[in-house]
Amino acid sequence: MEFEMDPSAEIRIMCVDDHPLMHKGISALIQSQPDMTIVGAVSKAGDALATFREKVPDITLMDLRLPDGNGIDTMISILKEHPKARIIILTMFEGDVEIQRALKSGACGYILKNMPPEDLLQVIRKVHSGEKKRLHPVIAATLADHFGEENLTSRETEVLQLISEGNSNKEVGNRLSISEETVKGHVKNILGKLGANDRTQAVSIAVRRGIISLD
């Protein structure tokens, strides 16, 4: 079921987050607003699509980290069936690469959980009124800080992920079926692109920016 959203109507919101306190806090905040209401709240990626189908909310608040999947893949699944869905990422993760990935995948907004409640309400209203990409100034500044930088290739990301798991260059090579010298070349490129002095610093930078995950 799809329908045209009426900007003057009550904003129907679904929340996808696995933290009970966050659920309660968001629900209390939303229900305190005269123009908003919570129509669904789920904690797992596997339940998000089914609940969306049932409720067809105007706005979906989506966390990036869920116990059975990730928010971006869940968002993509929803948008595949409901192209007009308006999804706002609400998360603790502020890495520029993760932000870019979410926006390119169809997110209408991206906001951090530690931002003031008024900021979340403003983003919800702006997205509901039709704004395509609503970014908090802090998020926009994070993207601007890395604008024009060269991204890691998919192979370099694979190498760095394996390094973060404690593998030596030789072990990385064995895992990826490439020579140790090739791995060293990738590591050199990684350090240069990330502005890191060594492998440990490269991993730290990559985790902070959302390039790799330590999960």
Side-chain angles (χ1 to χ4, degrees):
M1 181 177 76
E2 295 284 0
F3 58 87
E4 294 298 324
M5 298 176 189
D6 179 359
S8 65
E10 190 175 52
I11 305 172
R12 303 169 66 257
I13 299 167
M14 181 175 91
C15 179
V16 184
D17 193 294
D18 66 328
H19 296 93
L21 289 178
M22 183 58 62
H23 265 309
K24 291 181 180 179
I26 291 175
S27 294
L29 175 66
I30 297 303
Q31 295 300 143
S32 71
Q33 303 301 303
D35 59 338
M36 299 182 188
T37 187
I38 289 284
V39 296
V42 298
S43 60
K44 294 183 178 180
D47 297 329
L49 182 55
T51 303
F52 191 99
R53 288 170 180 157
E54 178 186 354
K55 303 296 184 180
V56 195
D58 299 321
I59 299 290
T60 299
L61 302 177
M62 180 78 68
D63 195 4
L64 284 180
R65 300 286 189 270
L66 299 168
D68 60 336
N70 70 75
I72 293 179
D73 288 343
T74 304
M75 176 179 67
I76 291 172
S77 296
I78 291 174
L79 288 170
K80 186 175 181 179
E81 285 194 15
H82 306 268
K84 294 182 180 180
R86 296 177 182 177
I87 301 174
I88 298 169
I89 300 297
L90 177 62
T91 184
M92 291 298 298
F93 300 94
E94 54 185 308
D96 65 294
V97 173
E98 204 137 42
I99 296 169
Q100 290 181 46
R101 190 180 302 133
L103 295 176
K104 288 179 180 178
S105 298
C108 292
Y110 196 108
I111 189 166
L112 302 179
K113 291 179 179 179
N114 59 3
M115 290 179 177
E118 294 77 13
D119 291 354
L120 173 60
L121 296 175
Q122 182 184 53
V123 169
I124 289 173
R125 291 187 175 104
K126 291 290 186 180
V127 170
H128 183 254
S129 69
E131 288 197 19
K132 298 297 183 183
K133 302 291 182 184
R134 183 67 184 180
L135 298 181
H136 188 278
V138 171
I139 298 300
T142 298
L143 291 176
D145 285 344
H146 298 282
F147 181 77
E149 292 182 355
E150 188 176 5
N151 294 327
L152 298 189
T153 65
S154 58
R155 176 62 88 185
E156 288 165 353
T157 302
E158 285 181 308
V159 168
L160 191 54
Q161 182 67 56
L162 289 172
I163 288 173
S164 75
E165 295 168 5
N167 293 286
S168 66
N169 286 347
K170 183 176 181 179
E171 290 168 333
V172 171
N174 290 338
R175 292 280 296 274
L176 298 178
S177 299
I178 57 179
S179 71
E180 187 174 355
E181 287 303 312
T182 299
V183 174
K184 290 179 180 178
H186 285 313
V187 171
K188 181 180 179 180
N189 290 337
I190 290 167
L191 297 183
K193 289 181 179 181
L194 297 182
N197 295 320
D198 53 38
R199 292 155 54 106
T200 301
Q201 187 180 22
V203 169
S204 177
I205 292 171
V207 170
R208 186 177 71 248
R209 293 183 56 189
I211 298 171
I212 62 172
S213 172
L214 297 182
D215 293 346

